[in-house]
Amino acid sequence: MLRKKKSTETTEPAEKKPGFLRRLRTRLNKGDSWLTTDVADLIPGGKIDDTTLEELETRLLLGDVGVDATEHIIDGLRERLKRSELNDLAALMNALRQGMIELISPTAIPLEIDTTQQPFVILMVGVNGAGKTTTIGKLANRFLDEGRSVMLAAADTFRAAAVEQLQVWGERNGVPVIAQHAGADPSAVVYDALVATRARDIDILIADTAGRLHTQSNLMEELKKIKRVLGKLDENAPQETLLVIDAGNGQNALAQARQFHEDVGLTGVCITKLDGSAKGGILLAIARELGVPIRFIGIGEQADDLAVFNAEQYVDALLELPVT
Ligand SMILES: Nc1nc2c(ncn2[C@@H]2O[C@H](COP(=O)(O)OP(=O)(O)OP(=O)(O)O)[C@@H](O)[C@H]2O)c(=O)[nH]1
Ligand SMILES: [Mg+2]
């Protein structure tokens, strides 16, 4: 089912639109980088030494980069310092940028829709309020722009109004939503939706699920069941299990990613609300510890506030480097 696009709509993905990087930069940390604000204070005597690196280490930790990733980055800088490669602030910032990019770029793997898999099923998971349903709306919008057909499955049968929320996104995008009554078994909804998607020859099925704390093992079992049920119809389904995390959750987002990955096996991560009060460094922690592909970033509530994750853009936004 292809949506007819209105003439005012553009097919340009968010990250390719003019000014996207500027928008990302000003939204991330509200334009005030936790890493580079008053960066000259790092070298009061004009000399880069262990104290400089210790201050930088503190800033990285405060920015949610996590102990492991921070140590990795600082160790790299310490090596360079020993080799006398960090003679001025510019060299330090450049080395920091390189270190961060090297750490995160192996996980900057965009989601490729394998067209031999039809439908391509995306299962959205994450804690309450992370942004799953909103991200589904944004994804549907993106896939339609790419000329693909989309169906949505309302498998959050737990929260009152969750189905309606998904239906609003469905209507906005002109895509069908498969739903059942409140309290229905989410596995049954997803099963029905996959059958319907096949019958209608639709390219992509995106399944919404209820928010759940990663520590609630009974609810994690429910997700495992959804995966098992999908697997009965198609052994490769879901082709993507996408964890949505809220950048504002800080270090807890790392704990969420760790547990969801252990329980349901993630194939991708999407981070939302990078436009909020978030410090944003959590992706470095996740990249370092889990290495799960980082697919998308959300920087607002509108349908086009979603971009494919780009390691260099992200690091430059964190560091507030000039837009090139
Ligand atoms: N600023 C901002 N707000 C966002 C973003 N993504 C989602 N939101 C908002 O976050 C709130 C929660 O989003 P939902 O999509 O309902 O989250 P959810 O994970 O589906 O929540 P549950 O179904 O309750 O688990 C909504 O008010 C969204 O508009 C984002 O990238 N930036
Ligand atoms: Mg939801």
Side-chain angles (χ1 to χ4, degrees):
M1 180 164 299
L2 277 179
R3 177 183 60 147
K4 275 221 178 79
K5 297 196 69 64
K6 293 186 212 113
S7 57
T8 50
E9 286 173 299
T10 163
T11 52
E12 206 66 40
E15 63 278 9
K16 299 242 170 74
K17 283 184 189 161
F20 171 74
L21 189 54
R22 204 176 299 275
R23 204 154 61 109
L24 173 62
R25 258 189 49 191
T26 45
R27 291 195 186 185
L28 194 64
N29 314 310
K30 302 259 184 248
D32 201 9
S33 172
W34 43 270
L35 259 174
T36 52
T37 305
D38 300 328
V39 79
D41 292 355
L42 287 173
I43 46 167
K47 191 174 164 297
I48 294 162
D49 53 20
D50 283 338
T51 319
T52 316
L53 297 188
E54 274 165 31
E55 169 59 23
L56 205 48
E57 186 171 22
T58 308
R59 289 191 183 201
L60 288 166
L61 288 171
L62 289 174
D64 286 332
V65 174
V67 176
D68 246 31
T70 297
E71 269 179 14
H72 183 77
I73 293 166
I74 295 294
D75 284 351
L77 292 179
R78 201 162 280 131
E79 284 306 308
R80 291 195 189 212
L81 185 62
K82 270 193 213 144
R83 295 200 298 266
S84 307
E85 289 170 12
L86 306 181
N87 297 319
D88 56 21
L89 193 57
L92 175 67
M93 283 301 125
N94 194 36
L96 175 63
R97 177 178 185 270
Q98 283 309 324
M100 291 167 87
I101 290 174
E102 272 165 31
L103 193 152
I104 204 161
S105 52
T107 60
I109 307 168
L111 175 64
E112 298 281 346
I113 303 296
D114 179 353
T115 48
T116 64
Q117 307 277 315
Q118 200 185 11
F120 188 95
V121 182
I122 303 174
L123 181 67
M124 308 291 287
V125 301
V127 302
N128 310 69
K132 294 175 291 302
T133 310
T134 308
T135 303
I136 290 174
K138 296 176 183 177
L139 284 173
N141 180 61
R142 168 173 287 264
F143 293 140
L144 290 166
D145 278 346
E146 293 171 356
R148 306 177 200 277
S149 52
V150 178
M151 190 178 254
L152 308 179
D156 179 355
T157 58
F158 177 74
R159 190 170 61 80
V163 175
E164 288 80 359
Q165 190 191 354
L166 194 68
Q167 274 162 343
V168 168
W169 278 110
E171 276 162 30
R172 212 174 279 170
N173 285 308
V175 302
V177 179
I178 301 295
Q180 290 183 13
H181 57 90
D185 180 353
S187 306
V189 176
V190 172
Y191 186 95
D192 280 2
L194 181 49
V195 171
T197 308
R198 277 182 172 176
R200 292 161 76 167
D201 222 12
I202 284 172
D203 301 328
I204 299 170
L205 171 67
I206 315 177
D208 195 13
T209 62
R212 67 203 68 226
L213 281 178
H214 50 296
T215 47
Q216 293 171 303
S217 57
N218 55 330
L219 295 180
M220 297 305 273
E221 285 303 318
E222 186 185 81
L223 279 185
K224 290 184 200 170
K225 184 176 167 196
I226 293 176
K227 285 194 87 166
R228 275 199 307 276
V229 166
L230 282 168
K232 277 187 193 147
L233 280 176
D234 171 0
E235 61 177 15
N236 297 320
Q239 279 72 11
E240 174 84 352
T241 303
L242 189 61
L243 174 72
V244 180
I245 53 170
D246 174 342
N249 285 169
Q251 286 299 295
N252 191 263
L254 176 62
Q256 292 163 23
R258 197 182 285 139
Q259 194 61 50
F260 272 96
H261 193 39
E262 193 179 315
D263 286 346
V264 291
L266 302 173
T267 54
V269 173
C270 170
I271 189 162
T272 64
K273 310 187 199 180
L274 273 179
D275 54 308
S277 61
K279 300 173 207 140
I282 195 65
L283 286 183
L284 288 149
I286 291 174
R288 171 76 183 157
E289 186 178 321
L290 301 174
V292 176
I294 301 165
R295 306 295 201 188
F296 299 99
I297 57 170
I299 54 162
E301 298 181 85
Q302 303 306 314
D304 65 350
D305 287 332
L306 183 82
V308 170
F309 178 68
N310 174 307
E312 293 199 2
Q313 277 185 356
Y314 171 71
V315 169
D316 287 350
L318 287 181
L319 292 174
E320 285 228 298
L321 290 172
V323 178
T324 45

